Amino acid sequence: MAVQGASIRGSSTMTTRHKNATWSTTLLYKSAKDNDDDMTPVLRTLMAPAAPLSSSSSSSRYSSSPRSLSGEPAPLHHTDTFSSLSCNNGIAQQDCDSWTQTFGSKAVHTNRIVIECGRCMDLDFEGPELTLQQGIDVRGRLVFRNAGPTFTLYTSMLAVQGDLILASRKPVDGKPAIHIFMTGENDQYFEPIEENAMNCGGVGQCNAGKKAIVVAGGKIQAQGLPPDAPTWLKLHDVTRVLDQGQMSDITDGQDPNVLIVDKAVDGKWAPGAEVLVTSHTTKWDGHQVRTIESISQHSDPNYVRIKLDSPIPRPTTLLDDPRFAVEVALLSRNIVLEGGPDSNARHGGHLWFFHTPFVDQFLEGVEVRNFGQQGTLGRYPIHFHFCGDNAGSVIAKNTVRNSHQRAIVVHGTNNVRVEDNVVFDTKGHAIILEDGIETGNEFFRNLGAFTRRVEVVIPNNGLNGDETDAAPATFWMSNPSNSWIGNVAAGSESSGFWFELRLRGAMASMFAGSDPRSLPLHKFEGNVAHSNGDRGLRTYPIGYMPDNVQTLDGFLSYRNRNKGLFFHLTENVAVVNSIFADNAVAIDLDRAEEIMLTNVTIIGQTDMYQDLVEIGGAPSLCKFQDELVGMEFHTFVHRAENNGAVVSNVVFKGFEQGMCARVAHIKFDDETRTGMFDWFTTFEKVNIMDRDNLFDFCPAEDVGVHSYLIDMDGSLRENGSGPGSLISVPLMSFVDSSACQVHNEGCYAYCGVCFRTMRFDVNPSGTDNIVLKVCKSTGSPCTYTFGFTDPFLDPTDADNHRLYNAHLPQGSYKVAFVDGIGGAEVWPSFVIQTFEDKLCPESFDESDIKLSIPSVQASQCNDLIKNGDFETLNMEGWLERSGGLAPVPNKGIGESTAISDAPAESSRDTIVQFLDTRCLKLMRGRYYEIRAWVKLVNKSGAPYSSCNLDSKGCPEVRIVNSAMMRPKVALFVPALRDHGFQLLHGVFLVDQDTAESSFIEFHVERNRADFSMQIDDVSMQLMPSLSFDDPVCQDNLVENGHFESGDAAFWSESSAVMSMRPGFSLVLSKGYGRVFVKSSCMRIDKRYEVIVKFRMYRNGNSVVCDPITSTIQCPTARLVPFKNGANMAGLRVADALETLPGATSSSLYGVFLATTDLIQADQLFLQLENFNDAYEYYIDSVSIQFNTKGCSDNMLLNSDMGMGVSPFWSAAGSGFIEWKDEGYGGSSSGALISRERTLPGHGARYNTAAFLDGRCLAAGSTWEITAQIKVFDVVTGLPMPCNLNQLTALPFVDACPSVRITIQNTEGTEIYNDFVRAYTNNSWNLNGWNEFKASLKLPQWNGQVASGGVAIQVCNFPIIMGVVVDDFVVRRV
């Protein structure tokens, strides 16, 4: 028989957003609202179209144990994504084939049944039961007929790759029309086909698990309720039917057996169906399950009577109080999915939608029984598993009951609507978001009851973390960017709602930058938690800390055995328009801050519940905790910048003395961390409707914490008006007692003044006995307060500041730190003063507080490091950010004591000392030299000695200020030592930021994981304050230029390799090296001489660079100034000299004029650069010294050519210059040769810009120029005569060499250009030296000579001639 294809949600059930595609699982954040353009972040699965893959439909390819390439059964991968099969396009419009005509009428099939893709099948089997031992794979379309008595299908697996249609719309009478019973204890496999063929590792088989209904690329459309049938509603009233059918009023001691409910159930619910009545007391298991005997009309046409098969304890109803009426839920459905028996009694069936995005699933009116496989990850009654975007999918009006593990699980899936479901008698969390990556889902009007703990918790596989189902929540929420509206948690063994916001699972790494705790809450409105065994709602243990305020609106929490609301580590959350009643503690704010409570009603015990206790036998609210508290507060905040709570428009009632051992509208708890109070909270428009105001500060006082609350408008006063404060009695020191009402029974006083707090953070090391002294500005009274560190942190943790709080009323005060009560003033290295928010206008201002800072002597600031050698075997002054800091005797330099941290996985661990801020303010603009000897030791005890200045992962010293500026100030420098330690060295300038910082930390940072760091002999010594006239400034201005200390202190490098060698030489290669220069010794416009001795090696062989030809590149030297941390324009100050025969080293030489930029730099370095990577450079004797030459001295440097000719002389125009090894009078200092010119006007030019002080050339001054000169034939090399009287030098003329001088002023105008030729002999000495001697009077001019504006040149002789020059002198007469 063929029937027309059925559809229950439209004419085509194959409609999907994307067809003919496989799907990749690239998951992104997208917004989660009702449309794609305006949503918060959600999981998005992106399409990656691929060509369709062919697949055989033969059932022979199924095997009992398929294997993957590794030889193990093929797993379902979270990277597989199933899409709708294109071969099913248009199948909804096809006629359906008959099951019996296709498969026959036999009731048992031993082979796998396959409904082929593109084929529609009507399950018209006539018998009551059909058994499919190997399961069924629906690749096409399977329609269950909606007719006849109960039809039961027994199957080991139901795979849906196409369409599965289930429908029964009859009234629910407890006799299901469709009953699918899952059997077997072995995992079952299905073959993915067509577009999905390569899923599950591409091995052709997917493991669905045992007793599995798996939807992979297909869809389920199920409807098992009559149209518009309600699943649960509030109980209107109850009554009792006598045996004769007569109605009877409920009297004391009688139990009702008739429920009066809304008429909406009429014609939908029917006799034989089971109903649930939720608990009406604090008993989480106080529910009732009954069977409907009959349904009849009530006298009021808006209601019907439901007669039960047996009475129930009298519950609370809408007529009693609309807020607290119990729920009546229909448990039966017309479609039942049930798990069969298993050798593991905790295992049943499971249903999952597997990696199927963009396909609209519709599951309505299905009863799921005995599903879930306890202790096995991923085996749940209803489970969306990595389905990406499933907008359009609806899970509605179903019942999940008798579940072994959870109920409805949304996992890696977004935008599903879960609505009007009933979950009852389930184990573990019930309705959950599994991994914290799920967003945009809507949970609307679901009811959960009898949520039990599991016996076997899902194990931690390394990805899921520790599961918490042993403390179950009916609604377990791991990501807030979803919606929960109108849900009811009516009886969990632990919690009703639980925000346990954490990211976990296989895809957590894709969201590594996201923290669910900071995400916005989409909606949490109109939810109810009652009769839960512990808490109505909680955020334990990691809390909820969104960036902006999120709101819980209209929350009703009542008759929970412990707490109605428990916020832990939570901030920026508002609770509005909410009611809390009949809870032992209504609201507990535990390490929760910036909480807003607005329009909230808190009822300690309702009159109704009192009647239930006295008449109905309900448990007393005092039975478990023996306390009744409206609001319980912590005394400290988690983050110092936060306040506690803002409480406004709150009503308290139902709190009377004697109800329990402790009764309070407001209570501070006894949990303490630092021993200080900083949970600053305000109350406004509060209405306490009870006889007495009951406030309990005693638990906090019992642990030494003095607390207060601000009453903004006086609504907490017992009499009077205006703002005031509830304070611990010990805080009354500065308050006129007449302004207070003391309540010793509550350990508090109400005072008509406003309090405010100031906080002080100080160095935790060595400050145990330091006390905060606060006095009125008049001098008395005074209070003394000891500080606290956090006992939960390591006492050596640098972040564990010692804290002091001063809670004060309005007034003026003097504050100081003293050595014990009554002791002298002291300074605890630093003080960070913080004023808490001015919550009440009538409180003190910052200007009312005067902090005393004791003066410090300059001598106390010579070494800022305390206890740098550790020889006292203690660590006073030293702290850490790593853990495990301890002294290590006999491990320091010379078997002295050092200190060591412990090996840790973090490489950023640090040893810290706080510096005295007074010294840094006093020494602003001064330099400190930093030295620290450091050793890295691995876990085996072996040292690591491969650090140098440019090594990655090696220790360094940083100075960190309160603005979190943390410059690197000391690095490893080479040192010749054999004690195993390496030297960290640097120079630090106390700049303005440092001087004005509220704290300064000295850091020795390890920078290498899994090593410990030992330090010894640490110092930060003040360097002398120098000026030009100090004797030391007449010596070398380079610090450690000769390396006498055997180390490279004051040296640094970039991209270079630096080491020390015996003989105290510094070895450099690559990059550049720089050394600190005492710039304060310089004076503007003074000239300084730079000398650097060096040798070059390649592969161990000595080489010599050539500064004239650059055949082998020579290094150079540059002065580099730094200002405000920035590298300013440098000045090249030295070049290589020729390396003369017999010399043991080469030299850099230069002269420079001190400028404002150089002298006023924060730091000045001499930088050696222009290194060739192929060579090593041995550096020694580096110096900068004041050049004492005056204008009356010889203005020319190297007149005797003893340092060679380059860079002093160069060829002018053409030709060559070189050094001759024999000078005037046979001198070994040598002489200058100029030859092979192309024009007679060319010659040898002196480098006046670098080596001559042009300022001496004053207008009208007279100068004497002398030199020794020879000439020779450039062809033969023989001496050659010249004509002393020849005034010109044409090529054919034999003129003797002359000296030309050119001068320019600062405007660039040439003011002098002439040459002179004057020899002392009347005839030319052909074979010897000839003395040149000329007098030169400069003309008058305006302005000054330009720097570099002087040229001196030996020229004007025939090109056939070469010239030899020595002892060239220019001296002012």
Side-chain angles (χ1 to χ4, degrees), residues 16 109 147 298 564 580 701 718 740 777 861 867 985 1021 1230 1262 1307:
T16 59
H109 292 260
H298 189 268
F580 300 86
E701 281 300 310
E718 293 181 1
C740 300
S777 57
C861 302
N867 188 29
H985 186 277
Q1021 294 278 352
T1262 300
E1307 284 75 35

Side-chain angles (χ1 to χ4, degrees), residues 128-193:
E129 295 180 352
L130 177 63
T131 300
L132 308 178
Q133 292 181 352
Q134 295 299 319
I136 181 171
D137 186 355
V138 181
R139 300 175 180 177
R141 180 181 179 91
L142 180 63
V143 180
F144 279 71
R145 302 184 68 187
N146 183 16
T150 298
F151 169 73
T152 302
L153 173 67
Y154 295 92
T155 181
S156 59
M157 182 191 73
L158 173 53
V160 182
Q161 300 189 69
D163 283 3
L164 177 65
I165 310 299
L166 306 165
S168 176
R169 311 305 296 271
K170 69 182 182 70
V172 180
D173 57 4
K175 299 175 183 178
I178 301 169
H179 186 185
I180 299 176
F181 196 89
M182 305 307 299
T183 64
E185 297 194 18
N186 296 321
D187 286 356
Q188 298 295 312
Y189 299 80
F190 68 94
E191 176 190 0
I193 67 169

Side-chain angles (χ1 to χ4, degrees), residues 1245-1246 1248 1252 1254 1257 1265 1299-1305 1308-1315 1336 1338 1341 1345-1346 1348-1353 1355:
R1245 175 182 293 151
Y1246 189 79
T1248 55
L1252 185 145
L1257 298 174
I1265 303 172
V1299 175
R1300 176 180 293 277
I1301 297 178
T1302 304
I1303 303 175
Q1304 291 180 334
N1305 64 14
T1309 303
E1310 190 175 274
I1311 55 179
Y1312 185 83
N1313 186 346
D1314 201 358
F1315 68 90
L1336 178 67
L1338 299 178
W1341 61 72
V1345 174
V1350 180
I1352 300 177
Q1353 183 176 331
C1355 57

Side-chain angles (χ1 to χ4, degrees), residues 934-939 941-948 951-955 972 980-982 1006-1012:
V934 180
K935 181 194 294 184
L936 290 178
V937 179
N938 66 20
K939 292 181 179 178
Y944 179 83
S945 57
S946 299
C947 285
N948 59 52
S951 293
K952 302 297 183 184
C954 285
F972 270 123
F981 282 75
Q982 291 183 271
R1006 172 149 47 88
N1007 292 336
R1008 184 169 288 272
D1010 297 322
F1011 278 74
S1012 62

Side-chain angles (χ1 to χ4, degrees), residues 162-322:
D163 283 3
L164 177 65
I165 310 299
L166 306 165
S168 176
R169 311 305 296 271
K170 69 182 182 70
V172 180
D173 57 4
K175 299 175 183 178
I178 301 169
H179 186 185
I180 299 176
F181 196 89
M182 305 307 299
T183 64
E185 297 194 18
N186 296 321
D187 286 356
Q188 298 295 312
Y189 299 80
F190 68 94
E191 176 190 0
I193 67 169
E194 299 291 338
E195 294 92 330
N196 304 318
M198 296 306 294
N199 287 340
C200 303
V203 297
Q205 298 289 290
C206 297
N207 186 346
K210 66 179 179 179
K211 296 184 178 69
I213 301 174
V214 56
V215 181
K219 69 166 64 174
I220 292 181
Q221 295 205 15
Q223 284 185 321
L225 285 174
D228 302 320
T231 58
W232 65 270
L233 33 65
K234 290 285 189 177
L235 178 59
H236 178 73
D237 197 4
V238 292
T239 186
R240 182 175 178 84
V241 177
L242 302 178
D243 294 340
Q244 297 80 11
Q246 298 171 331
M247 294 294 174
S248 171
D249 293 334
I250 302 298
T251 59
D252 292 349
Q254 293 180 325
D255 291 330
N257 62 356
V258 175
L259 309 179
I260 300 174
V261 299
D262 191 279
K263 68 176 182 179
V265 307
D266 193 20
K268 313 296 192 302
W269 300 11
E274 284 189 309
V275 293
L276 163 72
V277 180
T278 59
S279 175
H280 62 289
T281 71
T282 58
K283 293 178 64 176
W284 69 275
D285 55 355
H287 59 275
Q288 304 293 323
V289 176
R290 297 291 187 269
T291 300
I292 298 176
E293 277 195 359
S294 64
I295 300 178
S296 60
Q297 291 297 321
H298 189 268
S299 57
D300 185 334
N302 293 313
Y303 301 98
V304 295
R305 296 187 182 95
I306 297 178
K307 184 176 184 298
L308 306 177
D309 62 342
S310 62
I312 61 172
R314 206 269 190 213
T316 54
T317 68
L318 289 170
L319 291 182
D320 296 326
D321 191 320

